[in-house]
Amino acid sequence: MNGMSLIVKTVTRVTVGVIFVFGAYIAAHGHLTLGGGIAGGVIVALAYILYVLAYGRTEAEERLSRQRALAIMTLGALLFLALALAGYRQGYFMGNFLPTGEPGKLLSAGVIPFFNLAIMLFLGAGLFVVFLTFIAFRVEVKPEPGEEIEVGNK
Amino acid sequence: MINLLPLFIAVPIGAAFLLPLLARVSRRAPDLVANLVTIFLLVMTLGIYYFRPFNTVLNYRLGGWLPPIGINLVLDGLSHLLLLVISLVAGLVTFYSIAYMEKYTGKARYYTLFLLMIAGMNGAVLTGDLFNLFIFLELAAIASCALVAFGTGAEEMEAAFKYLIMGTVASVLILFGIALTYSLTGTLNMAEVARLFPANANHAKNLIMALFLAGFATKAALMPFHAWLPDAHPVAPAPVSATLSGVLIKALGVYAIIRVFYNVLGMSPPVALILMLLGAASILGGSFLALGQRDLKRMLAYSSIAQVGYIVLGVSLGTPLGIMGGLFHLFNHAIFKPLLFLNAGAVEYATGTRQLNELGGLGRKMPVTANTSLIASLAISGLPPFNGFWSKLFIIIACVQAGQLWFALVAIIGSIMTLAYVLKAQRDVFLGPLPADLKAVREAPWIMGTTAVVMALLCLAVGLAFPYVIALVINPAVVAVANGVGYGRMIMGGP
Amino acid sequence: MIIYLACIALLLIGIYCVAVKKNLIKIIIGLVIMEYAVNLFLVVLGYRRCGVDPIVLPGMAAKVCVDPMLQAMALSVIMIGLATTLLLVAIAMRIYERFGTFDITKIRNLKG
């Protein structure tokens, strides 16, 4: 609950922002190079998880509380659905209705960068919420004096 | 009209994500929104019957991309039959769970998971792409496993673990089959695979068929692969049990077997014989094991295994009468099995127990539940004038016509055993003396009673008006299945 | 050819773990190994001799690429495997809370 030592906290404070920006970079350039929204979302979630591991759950929840992470996750999913439904303007369900620019530029390929953004929001916040749910679960097993705790063999 | 096909998948998913937000606004909002969504799906399904010209196939390309690159949604007769079954059961069960799920906490989360499961099933029956089928299979399987574990008691957790492990092993085998199919044909689209499958790749085709058979038979709970079903269906909340037994094992398992083995890979006599043997083993094994059960819902779960055996036996006969009998039994089973599970849920809601030796004499206290349960019991055993009689008769006649007399005998024995165990359950629960600790039992709430009465009336109506039901709903599905590998030519055009 | 045998070996190791081991966590790990096997199989199917990664920038000549469709499939399967593993671990944690053990020979409430 108190996090790790001072060295770990200092190094984390430096690197967690870099990891977050790296994840956003991979998500934003999904239509140009490898990666895309899925890989970018996982890396953004890892930035938050690193913060929880180094500083402890209470302080990490002050940065991004569980309720707000759930709201961002829902926002990502509904943004994806809204983009897919907006494709009806072009005629088809997930149709491309934004102009496709020249290949190689950041703002090109129509609606794909926005799909990547929606997936990044969904996965980044969603995996963080799942991690918080797992570590909030504590099972107290009090052994009798002299008895060993059995967790199964083989 | 064709542009509305993706809404079958998009609307439940959108509503599933909106429901937890709405639950913070008001307490009754999730009930209302979930029921509106399922009523909307049912209206759209029936509307497509009204607007679509008879025996045409709707083919919708997502995003406008042409099929070897893009994914297409295909609505032919078989998909439409499954869509009608899913929408009907989902609509009735969502109405039922307004009253039943008051006993659990977190009702908004229940509706979220339920709508995700409905979206997964809709996507699985609508899609025309093999890998997309796998994705929706997994969505429905994970959502249904979370629903089985919804009560978070000890039994629910054990059952959910077994279900998820077996389901995931099956999915891994299916994925191996899909990867091998892609390496042979270079495409994932079902119609393209039907057209382009190399005719001389017999060893690879046998391996692919074996992998698909193992995977989809586990999802459909056929006999040697059935071990997850008798644990998972009793412990789930009653509306979830009804959907799992009534629709999920059929939309994910039986529909996938029919689609892949008839339309994509092509049925051949050895494969048909293997499917018939699996069906016959399910009939005998499920009925025998159901006779000795002391838990009401566990007995109904074994009965589901037997009835899915009937469906697979009928469909794998290969003759048009057999396919029609099998698909009609699929439709009928989706009406009377959820009714049996919902009534078992009403009994559990009122008394708190599912064990047959602790129940008794509830017929006087719960008349609506008792009478609708009697109608469902007679329908499932195949007594006239209910719907089960006609579908079982068609399957038995088709077996005799195809020369498979041993399978007809198995079907008749299964029918007799079905009558035995459902009447035993009816006597143990509703007739006889009332135990002392059940004297304060009252009838289930009106919402649950109304749902049961509607389903019982459907049993009777389909049984009386079966020529119209078969001509309108089942025959397009038979045409789609009997078309075989011509499915590829029909969707893609060409030689 | 060797790499396909490695996929089959991984699949068999996974099936052995799911079928034989008695600890819940080891069963989950066996399932994860099976998913690794199928992901490896998917990606290796797409290999073309002298193939490069399927990215074309303006000004580049088109060369022989490895199959990108299989990589997209493998990515989707990895995400599904992640969701399945998360749910399995959550169920395993609850089982430990209710039964007090991870040993599957002691978790046998549902019988018959």
Side-chain angles (χ1 to χ4, degrees), chain B residues 124-400:
Chain B
V125 304
L126 272 179
T127 183
D129 183 278
L130 275 176
F131 189 65
N132 214 10
L133 173 71
F134 170 77
I135 300 270
F136 282 118
L137 231 66
E138 283 295 284
L139 172 63
I142 294 178
S144 63
C145 171
L147 279 174
V148 165
F150 198 72
T152 67
E155 290 181 338
E156 285 98 330
M157 287 300 150
E158 175 192 345
F161 191 80
K162 284 189 210 172
Y163 175 25
L164 196 56
I165 291 281
M166 288 188 72
T168 311
V169 169
S171 297
V172 166
L173 293 176
I174 294 172
L175 196 56
F176 260 107
I178 293 177
L180 281 171
T181 314
Y182 181 81
S183 79
L184 276 179
T185 55
T187 174
L188 285 170
N189 197 336
M190 284 186 200
E192 287 278 317
V193 170
R195 269 192 340 150
L196 294 177
F197 203 87
N200 55 351
N202 276 329
H203 287 299
K205 188 170 181 181
N206 288 340
L207 179 61
I208 293 176
M209 279 195 175
L211 286 167
F212 277 141
L213 189 64
F216 289 129
T218 310
K219 297 276 185 192
L222 291 173
M223 193 56 189
F225 309 97
H226 70 285
W228 57 272
L229 196 142
D231 290 330
H233 285 207
V235 297
V240 172
S241 292
T243 315
L244 281 178
S245 244
V247 195
L248 193 89
I249 52 181
K250 285 178 282 192
L252 295 189
V254 179
Y255 165 80
I257 288 178
I258 297 176
R259 185 64 88 192
V260 166
F261 280 95
Y262 268 100
N263 291 119
V264 175
L265 290 178
M267 184 67 90
S268 56
V271 177
L273 184 65
I274 292 179
L275 279 174
M276 285 200 298
L277 284 172
L278 286 180
S282 302
I283 296 176
L284 286 178
S287 304
F288 265 124
L289 289 169
L291 279 172
Q293 295 303 316
R294 289 189 305 258
D295 181 337
L296 175 62
K297 285 171 80 171
R298 202 175 165 95
M299 182 201 81
L300 292 175
Y302 275 112
S303 167
S304 281
I305 298 176
Q307 304 303 313
V308 168
Y310 270 105
I311 298 172
V312 170
L313 174 66
V315 166
S316 56
L317 275 174
T319 64
L321 186 65
I323 299 176
M324 184 186 79
L327 291 177
F328 193 35
H329 200 67
L330 191 151
F331 183 73
N332 291 336
H333 184 240
I335 300 180
F336 48 68
K337 187 45 72 70
L339 174 57
L340 283 170
F341 266 110
L342 294 182
N343 279 342
V347 166
E348 193 182 8
Y349 183 90
T351 63
T353 176
R354 293 193 310 256
Q355 306 299 320
L356 287 175
N357 48 6
E358 294 173 20
L359 295 166
L362 293 172
R364 285 178 293 272
K365 298 277 190 175
M366 309 175 73
V368 173
T369 310
N371 288 325
T372 50
S373 216
L374 182 66
I375 290 180
S377 304
L378 295 179
I380 196 174
S381 342
L383 264 66
F386 299 108
N387 46 3
F389 170 67
W390 299 109
S391 56
K392 286 198 177 175
L393 187 68
F394 289 148
I395 293 177
I396 295 175
I397 291 181
C399 282
V400 170

Side-chain angles (χ1 to χ4, degrees), chain A residues 14-23:
Chain A
V14 171
T15 57
V16 81
V18 175
I19 298 177
F20 186 92
V21 170
F22 183 64

Side-chain angles (χ1 to χ4, degrees), chain A residues 69-124:
Chain A
L70 272 176
I72 294 179
M73 181 181 92
T74 315
L75 175 71
L78 291 175
L79 179 64
F80 190 95
L81 195 62
L83 282 172
L85 285 175
Y88 272 119
R89 239 172 34 141
Q90 202 252 354
Y92 286 99
F93 176 59
M94 282 197 190
N96 190 4
F97 59 97
L98 293 176
T100 63
E102 315 146 11
K105 298 267 187 216
L106 187 57
L107 281 181
S108 60
V111 79
I112 293 182
F114 295 98
F115 275 132
N116 280 335
L117 173 72
I119 295 285
M120 183 191 88
L121 289 175
F122 182 79
L123 273 178

Side-chain angles (χ1 to χ4, degrees), chain B residues 48-131:
Chain B
I48 294 183
Y49 270 115
Y50 187 66
F51 284 109
R52 175 174 71 121
F54 197 67
N55 263 342
T56 56
V57 170
L58 297 180
N59 182 9
Y60 183 78
R61 304 190 293 271
L62 281 180
W65 298 97
L66 289 178
I69 301 178
I71 296 175
N72 56 342
L73 300 177
V74 173
L75 185 78
D76 62 352
L78 181 64
S79 301
H80 206 176
L81 168 69
L82 265 295
L83 216 56
L84 177 67
V85 162
I86 295 173
S87 311
L88 198 61
V89 171
L92 289 166
V93 160
T94 318
F95 186 63
Y96 177 94
S97 48
I98 297 178
Y100 185 84
M101 296 306 290
E102 291 292 333
K103 290 221 158 177
Y104 291 81
T105 59
K107 208 167 162 190
R109 297 205 181 127
Y110 161 80
Y111 280 123
T112 300
L113 288 167
F114 194 80
L115 285 176
L116 280 176
M117 187 170 68
I118 298 293
M121 285 195 279
N122 277 347
V125 304
L126 272 179
T127 183
D129 183 278
L130 275 176
F131 189 65

Side-chain angles (χ1 to χ4, degrees), chain A:
Chain A
M1 293 294 285
N2 289 331
M4 300 197 178
S5 65
L6 185 61
I7 299 179
V8 176
K9 284 188 185 173
T10 314
V11 172
T12 307
R13 206 172 32 206
V14 171
T15 57
V16 81
V18 175
I19 298 177
F20 186 92
V21 170
F22 183 64
Y25 158 76
I26 287 190
H29 287 252
H31 55 289
L32 297 172
T33 177
L34 306 166
I38 301 174
V42 171
I43 295 176
V44 165
L46 285 179
Y48 280 108
I49 291 177
L50 178 63
Y51 199 80
V52 171
L53 286 177
Y55 277 85
R57 182 164 53 103
T58 45
E59 180 157 343
E61 284 204 342
E62 285 172 26
R63 298 290 183 155
L64 180 68
S65 70
R66 198 165 166 268
Q67 297 298 325
R68 214 183 296 170
L70 272 176
I72 294 179
M73 181 181 92
T74 315
L75 175 71
L78 291 175
L79 179 64
F80 190 95
L81 195 62
L83 282 172
L85 285 175
Y88 272 119
R89 239 172 34 141
Q90 202 252 354
Y92 286 99
F93 176 59
M94 282 197 190
N96 190 4
F97 59 97
L98 293 176
T100 63
E102 315 146 11
K105 298 267 187 216
L106 187 57
L107 281 181
S108 60
V111 79
I112 293 182
F114 295 98
F115 275 132
N116 280 335
L117 173 72
I119 295 285
M120 183 191 88
L121 289 175
F122 182 79
L123 273 178
L127 286 178
F128 181 54
V129 165
V130 169
F131 184 73
L132 285 180
T133 313
F134 274 154
I135 63 175
F137 189 84
R138 297 170 68 102
V139 173
E140 292 291 333
V141 178
K142 293 186 182 47
E144 309 289 315
E147 184 191 282
E148 293 181 29
I149 303 178
E150 173 197 288
V151 286
N153 49 0
K154 267 193 89 152

